[in-house]
Amino acid sequence: MSGRLFGAAITRVEDARLLTGTGHYVDDIELPGMLHAAFVRANFAHGRIRSIDKGDALAMPGVVAIYTMDDFADIAQGPMPAMAPHPLLKTPITYHPLSDAEVRHVGEAIAIVLADNRANAEDAAAAVMLDVEYLPAVSDVVLARVANSPTTHSQYASNIAATMKAGFGDCSKVFAKADHVLTEHFDIHRGGCHAMECRGVVANIDLLTDALTISTSSQSPYMVRRHLAAYLKRDENGIRVMTPDVGGGFGPKANVYAEEFAVALAAIKIRRPVKWIEDRQEHFVATTQQRGQIWSLDVAFDNDGRMRAISGHCIHDNGAYAPYGLILPATAIASFPGPYALEALDLTVDVVLTNLVPTSPVRGACRPNVAFLLERLADRIARHLGIDRQDVRQRSFVKADQMPYTTGMKARDGSPISYDSGDYVGALNLVLEKIGASDFETRRKEAKRRGKLRGLGIASCVEDTGLGPFEGASIRVTPAGRVIVATGASSQGQGHRTAFAQIAADALGVELDDVTVETADTAKFPLGISTIASRIAVTAGSSVQLAADKVRAKAITFASHQLEVDEQDLELEAGAVHVKGIPDMKIKLSEIAGALAGSTGVPLPGNMEPDLAATAYFNSNALTFAYGANACEVEIDPETGDIRVVRYVVVHDCGKLINPLIVDGQIRGGVVHGIGNALFERMIYDEQGQPLTTTYGDYLLPMASEMPPIEIHHMETPSPRNPIGVKGAGEGGTIPAAACVISAVEDALGPNGPFISAHPISPQQVVQWLEVAR
Amino acid sequence: MTDQSVTFTLNGQQREAAADPRMHLGDFLRHSLGLTGTHIGCEHGVCGACTVIVDGSPVRSCLMLAVQIDGGTVETVESLGKPGDLSPLQKAFSANHGLQCGFCTPGMLMTLEAFLRTTPAPTEEDVRVAISGNICRCTGYQGIVQAALDTASAKANRT
Ligand code: FES
Ligand code: FES
């Protein structure tokens, strides 16, 4: 693909609204008679609620109602449905909309308070009295896994929710024959996600029809509708879910949350609109987190550095519930073997429950974890053998002429996973050239003269994108000539409206301004999956193309009847179908749309199907694999341990670019997420499961003053697996970034420095390492 | 508590309104006055999403009480350009893809608006420090920094 607009770095159609304060986020919704909700949340990590006393709270100013789970008995009861059931999870481990008797992490919602404003609701929430039998809590995932640990859920005998296994080849054989074997242990710390807009829900009930309307700051409005319908035993048709402007998603907003259910139940019960806006304090204790994993890996390799096999074990910190099933640990397994052509792989992942906030995918899901493991191992091998880090990679990567490459792993349906296209070695070579790796030592020396330790880091990754099953789109041309694109894919700032408009405008020969894109309103498009896993350009983008192709064909058929010209002699341009070579012999799309909208008693030409419109779904049956190679340079102040990332270069291949401006934005934002994981973000809990970092004073996020400029180079290997040749780009920046920064820090600390096997790392740690190395 | 009357200048217009003494300026602008362009990201003074200009200086509206603006001057994102008529800084944000989800954007714009008035020829480092109290989770900051630099240099070229 590429056309007038497809492939062009045009500015976004979303921008004008968002720049002028006229965006419309969930907290901007005001409805007549609306009540404001605040939750009573657990301030303990594990306990059984004996009784709840609402008396004082109900008497407080502005309070209208306080509900616990029991109060919803006439509407619905029981745990929420599992979003992604998995055969290994014998029973779903999901929340109740409000806690049942047992509370399993600090922050779990116990009761919902409705008041005339939020401040009054919060005051009353603080006055609700709980009588609690405290139970032992476990917050350390390693301790949680041992046999005599207190259990997160008192009804389970063990905290191991599931043990997942995967691999290929014969590891013991390859290990026995390999020249070298090393064992390393890794500790990847838990962090948050922190979209700048917290979550929020407005639920409204139509008093005449009983229909429920929900606006939610979500990545998965269709999942909210589906699961809420199942829970309420209502038909989907009576529930409309839409997403207004969403202030960032990055994964956690893909879950269907207890609060979404609780607010809906409260609105049904009180028969008034109810709004709940999560505050940042709640976000720290009630929105899913990620990345906590402990790994132990053995790697077999040859004298020349070629990596041959990996076997390993992971303890995965799942938190207290599994709202998204096992999707997160499954992503860890699926991220192997990355760009490496291994002969054998043997992995076991123990999914372990803790009395902490549940984990679910955060930008990259477990792909950044696995990139960290594989890239650290590659650096480790180089160090062990005394060879260049790039040599290990160049000798171990899947080669371009091996594409499509069957990795040995299996997809969920049991089919073999195969990388579709790409040149991993080429990407690495290019990034080394762009950062100037060959004269890095000069820069290291120059930094040394300034008293700084400079290091070069490299990291590569392969990313599965375009996760199935599908997204869809409908396109309709109105008699006024507007092109309306509707899709179930929700947006959280990715510029979908622009990208889809580019695709549709090209296919239909109209201008960008002629296209309106509507996203994620269940009343406007029937089905959607979720904006996750770098899948929307592939799935929804392809659907827009397919739907536009159908509309185009229809317009041409109509014009061929009308102008009495063969279809192949017609083309679309400037909002009209015209005869090739005779621009004046034309019929406008608006006229075609008007005619196909029908006039009383007049048959349509050629007995055509009414409406200049079409719907298409793209079934993404095979993943398409994006990849990237990153290089960065850091400077360390040996006195303070301060680490500065001073240069960052990305080589990235996500197939055809619909809009390079948008893709670059995705990559840059993604890299900064990864730098945050490497250097700043650390969610800390004490042994009792109390969170200790619940403000941005304690929990550090990457700020502009600490971030480097990020230079991006694209390779464009079209994907053969979808009609527009694209691969996903939403997470490719994040996946190798932490690995890349840590590689650079290790390089800066020099040959006597440590092997760094954990992140985030801190300046204090750097100072200690330097003392040891001295 | 009983509401208190506040009189102030909002985006060039004289306003009088009643405010709950415990309500912060951000909530007051958003929910009492309906100016929802100002966003609330943390309510503890770190993220900068709520930044507005009070008496010429960038201020976190979540850390200031509404009653404190009595007699003062407040500028919010709504005072900049309109969708068909963006301000130079807003245009530069769009041209440099300095926004994605748009949630941090009003705070970024108001921080930089105030900054560029006092620092007409900043370096990249100056801009990064100026917005070092504003979190953006989407853009990686680069487009925002470039937008500020472009706006400054375009203005310098014009004058
Ligand atoms: S909301 Fe005011 S600084 Fe974050
Ligand atoms: S654009 Fe989303 S937080 Fe900045």
Side-chain angles (χ1 to χ4, degrees):
Chain A
M1 285 305 303
S2 57
R4 263 180 325 133
L5 297 166
F6 193 114
I10 51 176
T11 57
R12 304 190 317 164
V13 302
E14 289 89 343
D15 290 351
R17 270 183 336 105
L18 301 179
L19 283 163
T20 51
T22 45
H24 200 57
Y25 301 84
V26 64
D27 191 30
D28 302 342
I29 297 172
E30 292 291 344
L31 295 172
M34 188 166 74
L35 294 171
H36 297 262
F39 286 96
V40 177
R41 294 187 182 275
N43 59 7
F44 54 92
H46 198 192
R48 202 170 285 119
I49 300 170
R50 293 199 199 96
S51 66
I52 301 174
D53 180 359
K54 314 177 201 170
D56 291 352
L58 274 170
M60 290 175 68
V63 176
V64 176
I66 300 174
Y67 299 133
T68 61
M69 203 55 218
D70 288 345
D71 295 309
F72 298 138
D74 54 332
I75 306 171
Q77 281 292 292
M80 292 166 59
M83 270 187 81
H86 192 286
L88 283 178
L89 273 186
K90 302 275 175 306
T91 44
I93 310 171
T94 55
Y95 285 101
H96 286 62
L98 294 169
S99 175
D100 60 339
E102 191 173 323
V103 167
R104 297 163 182 113
H105 70 85
V106 170
E108 191 168 335
I110 296 167
I112 183 169
V113 179
L114 306 181
D116 59 345
N117 64 45
R118 172 64 180 246
N120 284 338
E122 281 183 29
D123 286 349
V128 171
M129 305 301 286
L130 305 177
D131 180 12
V132 180
E133 176 196 347
Y134 295 106
L135 298 170
V138 59
S139 70
D140 182 305
V141 69
V142 175
L143 298 179
R145 184 170 161 269
V146 300
N148 59 356
S149 164
T151 51
T152 303
H153 294 243
S154 59
Q155 75 271 30
Y156 300 149
S158 148
N159 288 316
I160 301 177
T163 297
M164 307 173 81
K165 285 178 183 296
F168 55 82
D170 186 341
C171 255
S172 52
K173 237 199 214 145
V174 182
F175 270 85
K177 285 218 206 103
D179 298 335
H180 306 266
V181 171
L182 280 172
T183 302
E184 290 297 343
H185 303 278
F186 299 90
D187 183 348
I188 300 166
H189 204 84
R190 176 191 272 253
C193 177
H194 295 283
M196 281 328 296
E197 181 202 34
C198 292
R199 292 181 293 131
V201 191
V202 174
N204 191 12
I205 186 99
D206 185 311
L207 296 180
L208 291 176
T209 64
D210 209 36
L212 189 62
T213 303
I214 293 177
S215 296
T216 177
S217 179
S218 171
Q219 296 169 241
S220 311
Y222 291 80
M223 295 296 139
V224 173
R225 179 183 64 169
R226 184 189 301 179
H227 295 299
L228 194 56
Y231 192 72
L232 297 174
K233 299 191 173 61
R234 282 178 171 227
D235 190 79
E236 282 190 2
N237 196 40
I239 302 177
R240 177 183 182 186
V241 180
M242 46 195 163
T243 54
D245 286 319
V246 174
F250 314 117
K253 287 182 185 172
N255 290 287
V256 177
Y257 278 94
E259 291 90 345
E260 284 167 324
F261 277 38
V263 170
L265 287 164
I268 292 170
K269 182 97 187 161
I270 199 94
R271 303 198 70 72
R272 286 172 68 173
V274 176
K275 179 199 269 191
W276 167 68
I277 302 299
E278 183 185 56
D279 68 24
R280 189 58 64 180
Q281 233 80 84
E282 291 181 283
H283 190 83
F284 271 104
V285 297
T287 291
T288 58
Q289 303 175 344
Q290 211 226 302
R291 303 245 198 280
Q293 287 185 332
I294 309 282
W295 282 86
S296 161
L297 291 176
D298 300 325
V299 58
F301 54 100
D302 282 345
N303 286 328
D304 65 353
R306 196 168 71 82
M307 214 188 271
R308 296 187 56 189
I310 291 175
S311 82
H313 179 257
C314 169
I315 304 175
H316 172 83
D317 173 5
N318 185 84
Y321 294 93
Y324 220 139
L326 298 177
I327 203 147
L328 189 51
T331 322
I333 287 172
S335 305
F336 284 91
Y340 296 88
L342 297 182
E343 291 160 60
L345 177 72
D346 184 5
L347 299 172
T348 305
V349 177
D350 281 331
V351 180
V352 177
L353 298 167
T354 53
N355 290 109
L356 305 181
V357 173
T359 53
S360 81
V362 169
R363 203 166 196 169
C366 278
R367 298 172 190 89
N369 293 31
V370 174
F372 181 72
L373 303 171
L374 293 171
E375 295 309 285
R376 294 277 64 221
L377 284 180
D379 283 4
R380 181 75 188 86
I381 291 169
R383 204 162 159 171
H384 185 80
L385 296 173
I387 62 176
D388 273 352
R389 289 171 290 178
Q390 57 264 40
D391 290 344
V392 174
R393 291 165 169 90
Q394 278 148 351
R395 287 165 196 161
S396 306
F397 279 177
V398 175
K399 306 292 181 302
D401 61 10
Q402 290 176 286
M403 294 291 174
Y405 176 82
T406 306
T407 66
M409 297 292 276
K410 299 259 186 300
R412 241 168 278 185
D413 64 358
S415 62
I417 297 243
S418 85
Y419 295 161
D420 48 342
S421 54
D423 181 358
Y424 307 157
V425 175
L428 176 61
N429 291 341
L430 182 59
V431 84
L432 291 170
E433 177 199 319
K434 293 292 179 189
I435 203 159
S438 56
D439 52 19
F440 173 73
E441 291 308 324
T442 319
R443 294 195 289 286
R444 197 199 296 270
K445 282 199 197 98
E446 183 277 327
K448 183 134 202 172
R449 281 197 294 277
R450 287 183 281 114
K452 297 282 163 62
L453 304 173
R454 193 163 175 126
L456 170 71
I458 55 176
S460 294
C461 74
V462 176
E463 180 194 2
D464 55 302
T465 74
L467 182 68
F470 62 81
E471 290 293 340
S474 67
I475 296 184
R476 177 165 190 264
V477 184
T478 68
R482 271 213 88 64
V483 175
I484 312 292
V485 179
T487 170
S490 64
S491 303
Q492 302 83 37
Q494 300 91 336
H496 291 158
R497 287 188 175 86
T498 306
F500 298 157
Q502 285 177 268
I503 296 171
D506 259 3
L508 295 174
V510 299
E511 294 309 315
L512 211 58
D513 290 348
D514 299 326
V515 184
T516 300
V517 179
E518 297 181 326
T519 61
D521 177 347
T522 61
K524 295 199 169 151
F525 193 78
L527 286 175
I529 303 295
S530 198
T531 300
I532 52 166
S534 304
R535 63 188 295 278
I536 294 303
V538 174
T539 54
S542 296
S543 310
V544 171
Q545 180 71 46
L546 295 174
D549 289 345
K550 288 189 190 177
V551 170
R552 178 191 176 89
K554 203 165 175 181
I556 286 180
T557 303
F558 181 94
S560 142
H561 287 299
Q562 213 64 5
L563 302 171
E564 296 179 338
V565 175
D566 272 358
E567 292 194 8
Q568 66 265 29
D569 294 330
L570 294 168
E571 63 189 3
L572 270 77
E573 206 178 34
V577 183
H578 68 78
V579 180
K580 285 180 188 164
I582 318 176
D584 284 347
M585 207 172 152
K586 67 174 180 188
I587 173 162
K588 287 188 190 158
L589 285 179
S590 57
E591 291 165 348
I592 301 174
L596 285 175
S599 310
T600 317
V602 183
L604 297 182
N607 196 26
M608 282 182 70
E609 187 193 45
D611 211 5
L612 185 52
T615 296
Y617 288 91
F618 178 68
N619 286 353
S620 184
N621 293 332
L623 295 164
T624 181
F625 290 84
Y627 61 95
N630 292 5
C632 74
E633 294 181 15
V634 302
E635 282 193 2
I636 291 175
D637 181 332
E639 299 300 318
T640 63
D642 180 50
I643 305 159
R644 285 198 75 86
V645 183
V646 290
R647 293 185 68 200
Y648 202 105
V649 184
V650 175
V651 168
H652 191 253
D653 188 344
C654 56
K656 299 298 288 179
L657 306 179
I658 302 170
N659 184 333
L661 196 69
I662 292 176
V663 174
D664 287 356
Q666 288 295 311
I667 293 171
R668 290 204 172 94
V671 167
V672 166
H673 268 237
I675 296 177
N677 290 138
L679 301 180
F680 302 108
E681 298 183 51
R682 190 192 301 266
M683 188 69 215
I684 303 174
Y685 294 86
D686 74 7
E687 299 98 79
Q688 269 77 49
Q690 285 291 341
L692 304 179
T693 48
T694 56
T695 71
Y696 287 150
D698 303 313
Y699 185 91
L700 305 182
L701 287 166
M703 308 300 266
S705 43
E706 279 79 45
M707 290 305 109
I710 295 158
E711 179 183 320
I712 300 170
H713 302 274
H714 294 286
M715 296 169 64
E716 270 190 81
T717 314
S719 169
R721 292 183 178 166
N722 60 71
I724 53 176
V726 300
K727 304 177 177 187
E731 297 164 296
T734 308
I735 294 168
C740 190
V741 170
I742 297 294
S743 171
V745 170
E746 186 174 292
D747 185 53
L749 295 177
N752 297 328
F755 171 68
I756 305 178
S757 59
H759 70 65
I761 55 171
S762 65
Q764 295 91 317
Q765 233 171 348
V766 166
V767 169
Q768 281 165 9
W769 280 329
L770 284 170
E771 269 163 16
V772 173
R774 236 166 242 150
Chain B
M1 251 181 274
T2 47
D3 286 0
Q4 224 166 287
S5 167
V6 284
T7 307
F8 63 108
T9 308
L10 176 61
N11 298 336
Q13 308 259 321
Q14 188 78 3
R15 293 290 291 257
E16 194 186 336
D20 184 339
R22 70 170 177 171
M23 183 180 255
H24 65 63
L25 177 58
D27 275 352
F28 179 66
L29 290 168
R30 290 179 50 75
H31 299 306
S32 302
L33 304 179
L35 293 186
T36 53
T38 299
H39 294 156
I40 304 297
C42 71
E43 285 185 295
H44 56 265
V46 186
C47 78
C50 66
T51 306
V52 297
I53 300 177
V54 174
D55 297 334
S57 303
V59 157
R60 270 133 221 270
S61 64
C62 73
L63 291 187
M64 186 172 186
L65 293 169
V67 293
Q68 288 177 282
I69 54 152
D70 195 35
T73 300
V74 180
E75 296 165 71
T76 69
V77 67
E78 285 89 352
S79 71
L80 305 179
K82 297 279 166 275
D85 179 26
L86 298 177
S87 76
L89 182 61
Q90 287 169 319
K91 275 193 195 136
F93 261 66
S94 184
N96 289 291
H97 197 22
L99 71 160
Q100 290 182 24
C101 77
F103 202 77
C104 71
T105 310
M108 287 285 185
L109 285 167
M110 297 319 282
T111 303
L112 286 170
E113 181 73 24
F115 168 70
L116 291 173
R117 284 181 201 166
T118 54
T119 318
T123 64
E124 177 182 340
E125 185 63 19
D126 294 338
V127 176
R128 286 188 180 270
V129 170
I131 57 167
S132 66
N134 294 65
I135 303 173
C136 176
R137 285 301 267 168
C138 296
T139 64
Y141 301 105
Q142 193 161 329
I144 298 171
V145 173
Q146 197 56 48
L149 293 172
D150 285 2
T151 307
S153 60
K155 187 154 185 216
N157 288 341
R158 272 203 312 276
T159 49

